[in-house]
């Protein structure tokens, strides 16, 4: 078979083939969750707890799409421990720590690694392959950038975990 008869697959088509069904499934799950929160509010709202004084105390209500996040972000550590328990407090603290780590590493990765990969001379097609380490030729000094980034990301991760744990 000659090279002229072979069909080539565009990388954009491959990404669309994977991305579109994934986004459809994500949208369906979000719609199901959104409807379930309105049909079963007693399950998704904060349960009522009794304090030692015998008074009934309820958490801030709201079934808006992002209202729970706002309540968690604005809550003090003492309120989180009281409402969610110590294990819930540790979970939320770990999520905040991981968010800080991902944001710091992602910001450096996008601002440093993407331009280096984009300017590579390995003649990758215009697509996601152009923004990868495969676009760099063997033996160029730019190959040290990912190594430095891994060291930086490891240091940021260890610092973030040490500071918050």
């Amino acid at each position: 078979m000659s090279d002229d008869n072979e069909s080539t697959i565009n990388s954009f088509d491959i990404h669309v083939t994977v991305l579109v069904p994934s986004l459809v499934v994500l949208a369906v799950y979000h719609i199901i969750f959104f409807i379930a929160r309105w049909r079963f509010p007693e399950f998704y709202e904060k349960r009522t707890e009794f304090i030692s004084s015998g008074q009934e105390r309820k958490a801030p209500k709201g079934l808006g799409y992002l209202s729970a996040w706002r309540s968690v972000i604005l809550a003090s550590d003492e309120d989180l421990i009281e409402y969610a328990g110590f294990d819930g407090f540790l979970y939320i603290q770990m999520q905040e720590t991981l968010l800080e780590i991902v944001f710091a590493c992602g910001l450096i990765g996008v601002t440093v690694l993407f331009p280096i990969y984009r300017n590579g001379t390995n003649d990758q097609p215009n697509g996601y392959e152009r923004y990868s380490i495969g676009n760099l030729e063997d033996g160029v000094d730019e190959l040290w950038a990912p190594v430095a980034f891994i060291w930086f990301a490891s240091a940021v991760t260890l610092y973030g975990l040490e500071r918050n744990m």
Side-chain angles (χ1 to χ4, degrees):
M1 194 181 257
S2 69
D3 290 336
D4 295 334
N5 293 334
E6 291 182 18
S7 63
T8 59
I9 299 174
N10 188 352
S11 68
F12 179 75
D13 295 337
I14 294 171
H15 292 347
V16 168
T17 303
V18 173
L19 190 63
V20 169
S22 300
L23 290 176
V24 168
V25 169
L26 177 71
V28 167
Y29 280 136
H30 275 270
I31 291 169
I32 290 171
F33 176 68
F34 188 72
I35 292 171
R37 286 192 329 177
W38 287 104
R39 292 211 42 179
F40 307 103
E42 65 278 355
F43 182 77
Y44 288 101
E45 283 185 359
K46 173 66 180 110
R47 297 170 195 87
T48 303
E49 294 184 11
F50 292 94
I51 313 175
S52 60
S53 66
Q55 294 177 342
E56 191 175 307
R57 183 172 180 185
K58 292 185 178 182
K61 289 188 177 186
L63 289 175
Y65 193 68
L66 299 175
S67 64
W69 289 12
R70 194 177 118 236
S71 299
V72 169
I73 291 170
L74 297 177
S76 67
D77 291 348
E78 293 78 21
D79 287 341
L80 286 175
I81 291 171
E82 182 180 340
Y83 284 119
F86 191 65
D87 56 342
F89 166 71
L90 289 179
Y91 173 76
I92 292 170
Q93 185 180 18
M94 182 58 126
Q95 291 298 320
E96 290 174 357
T97 302
L98 293 177
L99 186 63
E100 291 171 2
I101 292 169
V102 166
F103 180 74
C105 293
L107 186 64
I108 297 297
V110 167
T111 58
V112 174
L113 293 180
F114 273 12
I116 290 174
Y117 293 159
R118 183 179 43 114
N119 293 328
T121 58
N122 207 11
D123 296 328
Q124 293 290 334
N126 290 333
Y128 290 122
E129 293 88 6
R130 184 155 183 83
Y131 294 99
S132 70
I133 197 168
N135 198 28
L136 299 177
E137 291 184 10
D138 291 338
V140 295
D141 290 337
E142 286 85 2
L143 286 173
W144 286 105
V147 174
F149 177 75
I150 292 297
W151 280 95
F152 171 77
S154 299
V156 166
T157 302
L158 291 175
Y159 172 75
L161 292 175
E162 176 67 27
R163 184 174 60 94
N164 289 312
M165 293 295 147

